Amino acid sequence: MTAQLECPRCGVSYPLSEVRYICDCGSQLDVIHDLQALQAQITRATFDARQRGVPTPDVRPEIDSGVWRYRELILPVSPEMIVSRPEGNTPLYQHPRLSDWVGVDCLLLKHEGENPSGSFKDRGMTVGVTQARWLGARAVACASTGNTSASLAAYAALAGLPAIVFIPQGKIAAGKLAQALAYGAHTLQVAGDFDDAMRLVQRICDDMGIYLLNSLNPFRLEGQKSVIFEIVHGLNWQSPDWIVLPAGNLGNTAAFGKALYELKQLELVERLPRLAAVQATGANPFYQSYRMGFRQEVRVQAETIATAIRIGAPISYERAVRSLRWTNGLVTQVSDAEIMDAKAMVDRVGIGCEPASAAAVAGVRKMVSEGIIRPDERVVAVLTGNLLKDPGATVSYHTGEWAEAHFANQPRQVSARPEEVRRVIEHIL
Ligand code: F0G
């Protein structure tokens, strides 16, 4: 065995060629790699040797992609099957003003918004769409708060596969809707919220034999593990003390924990960072479960400005709980006002992100103020999406529609008269 589908609850396994997301016992499946065999084959040097050079027109995913560079830990597949932009290779930024604001010596930002379609979803989608093509799927589909649909639309277009995306009507950011339409996805605006769309897409995919590419799909999570591989590799295989991420449907939380578990098993890292998942207070079912010691799965009617994580019934709950157990992790929550101020700070230093991503930065600041994170600890926050995804939220924050904005940058109305413009600029400077 190099890899197979396996149920984490009852241990039953299935071949990778079977179209299946859930075990007969009801649990979601994992892709399980033969870590013992891999340990004999791969070392840090295996990955160190695969460095991307100057981009060429012929994508060589096994070198150029920040996902497929780690292919032994992702999916055994022949290179000609791979559908890749390429993705990954995202920067790890730091900025002293931002570190000061959150209260740590050095905050590192893994900017997943600098992926081809502007979010971390591309890492999962290159693997999911590759698998769809290998299985001979006739079409692919997902429910989405926007980024998954944008990414699926792009990768399906690249592969020449029809894509059908289910989005909550009126509840996704303009940039994301524009991407789904532009890349040619059949776009169904569901009269309901994300949780309704998620239930609907599962039903339709089962009924119609369409390949489902939400994070319920275990291959998506395999690709998203590469965020962690790149962070740790980028730090010369030294784990940071904390990795902090926004949490909605919990796919990333599930993927990150699995990646860390595998790195430890393979002895590619000596110790694990702690994972901290951050939710918006109006969309906090995972936080509520955490506060109850995960004795009960909670559902809420979700509402938050960060539409990407406006999710009340997260699909990857069990696997996310497992991630936190593996990494001595925790869950925290931040208000919409804290999210938007953190976003304004990330934007103002010239880096920029969408609202959900800023929840991670707001979460770091909150955990520092509560003494959970010490100022001398090394913290990586994952910025999951690009600033340009949600122009509506950004503009409303800066133009006074957002009552609690502390860092608003109001545009000024001026006439076309040079003397007036000069006066205004002199006043500014
Ligand atoms: N940040 C952004 C920008 C997202 O788009 C999402 C999820 C998350 C964080 C949360 O990640 O679901 O793995 O916990 N967006 C999904 C979508 C749900 O449909 O685009 P998660």
Side-chain angles (χ1 to χ4, degrees):
M1 171 200 100
T2 51
Q4 61 185 11
L5 292 171
E6 209 174 283
C7 173
R9 199 189 286 164
C10 71
V12 170
S13 62
Y14 305 90
L16 294 183
S17 55
E18 192 163 331
V19 177
R20 189 181 252 285
Y21 323 101
I22 293 180
C23 180
D24 288 339
C25 80
S27 176
Q28 292 168 12
L29 296 171
D30 284 320
V31 174
I32 294 294
H33 302 274
D34 185 346
L35 295 180
Q36 230 171 358
L38 285 177
Q39 201 169 9
Q41 285 166 29
I42 55 176
T43 64
R44 292 173 176 179
T46 313
F47 304 119
D48 290 345
R50 296 174 189 164
Q51 292 303 337
R52 190 184 193 190
V54 176
T56 63
D58 305 311
V59 175
R60 300 152 305 163
E62 64 282 14
I63 294 170
D64 296 337
S65 164
V67 175
W68 297 103
R69 182 175 304 129
Y70 306 99
R71 59 186 170 277
E72 290 88 347
L73 303 177
I74 306 274
L75 181 67
V77 65
S78 51
E80 66 278 5
M81 290 309 295
I82 293 176
V83 183
S84 172
R85 287 287 294 268
E87 46 293 309
N89 304 304
T90 54
L92 203 48
Y93 292 123
Q94 53 179 313
H95 195 290
R97 279 211 307 277
L98 201 58
S99 301
D100 278 355
W101 187 70
V102 299
V104 295
D105 297 341
C106 179
L107 174 69
L108 297 170
L109 300 166
K110 180 68 173 165
H111 208 326
E112 288 300 301
E114 299 193 8
N115 270 293
S117 84
S119 82
F120 68 93
K121 306 285 181 181
D122 294 343
R123 294 181 184 265
M125 224 39 99
T126 181
V127 182
V129 171
T130 295
Q131 179 69 5
R133 192 155 79 157
W134 184 67
L135 291 168
R138 68 167 171 142
V140 289
C142 69
S144 182
T145 55
N147 280 323
T148 303
S149 53
S151 182
L152 177 64
Y155 280 80
L158 202 60
L161 275 171
I164 306 156
V165 303
F166 293 61
I167 53 174
Q169 169 111 43
K171 294 291 181 191
I172 80 170
K176 304 175 188 181
L177 176 60
Q179 285 179 291
L181 300 174
Y183 291 129
H186 304 286
T187 303
L188 308 181
Q189 297 188 293
V190 178
D193 62 13
F194 170 81
D195 302 303
D196 297 321
M198 188 66 234
R199 276 188 292 274
L200 187 61
V201 75
Q202 287 183 69
R203 173 76 196 273
I204 297 291
C205 283
D206 277 353
D207 289 353
M208 302 185 68
I210 295 170
Y211 194 57
L212 179 64
L213 276 172
N214 277 100
S215 51
L216 184 61
N217 183 310
F219 299 99
R220 276 269 318 272
L221 296 200
E222 289 308 292
Q224 287 172 208
K225 289 187 323 191
S226 64
V227 178
I228 295 291
F229 299 155
E230 268 191 13
I231 290 173
V232 173
H233 193 177
L235 297 175
N236 206 14
W237 303 105
Q238 304 301 307
S239 288
D241 296 301
W242 292 90
I243 295 181
V244 184
L245 76 162
N249 218 17
L250 301 179
N252 247 1
T253 309
F256 285 14
K258 185 169 186 286
L260 289 166
Y261 173 85
E262 290 170 356
L263 286 178
K264 187 78 178 26
Q265 294 297 308
L266 291 166
E267 296 174 14
L268 290 168
V269 294
E270 272 140 39
R271 61 176 188 90
L272 292 184
R274 295 181 70 185
L275 274 186
V278 186
Q279 293 213 290
T281 46
N284 68 353
F286 194 47
Y287 175 74
Q288 289 193 38
S289 296
Y290 167 73
R291 291 301 301 253
M292 290 191 277
F294 292 124
R295 279 187 300 280
Q296 198 185 322
E297 190 174 343
V298 174
R299 289 176 182 201
V300 302
Q301 188 69 43
E303 191 50 79
T304 167
I305 180 91
T307 51
I309 51 173
R310 189 175 178 273
I311 295 172
I315 202 89
S316 294
Y317 172 80
E318 260 183 55
R319 292 179 296 183
V321 173
R322 178 180 72 177
S323 287
L324 297 191
R325 297 215 160 109
W326 276 337
T327 60
N328 187 23
L330 54 82
V331 190
T332 189
Q333 63 171 357
V334 290
S335 68
D336 279 8
E338 290 170 311
I339 289 174
M340 290 307 284
D341 276 346
K343 172 176 151 51
M345 285 302 296
V346 175
D347 295 350
R348 190 69 70 84
V349 299
I351 293 173
C353 66
E354 69 162 282
S357 312
V361 175
V364 175
R365 187 165 192 258
K366 182 169 185 191
M367 289 186 283
V368 172
S369 75
E370 292 171 344
I372 297 169
I373 295 181
R374 284 197 328 263
D376 63 340
E377 287 187 303
R378 201 169 201 198
V379 185
V380 178
V382 180
L383 298 181
T384 44
N386 195 286
L387 166 68
L388 295 174
K389 290 278 190 175
D390 192 348
T394 308
V395 172
S396 73
Y397 178 91
H398 289 291
T399 52
E401 278 170 50
W402 186 254
E404 296 157 288
H406 290 105
F407 310 112
N409 176 26
Q410 287 270 2
R412 291 160 214 257
Q413 310 285 335
V414 292
S415 71
R417 289 198 308 278
E419 60 280 12
E420 185 193 335
V421 173
R422 267 200 303 275
R423 247 197 338 273
V424 170
I425 294 176
E426 263 157 25
H427 179 73
I428 292 170
L429 298 179

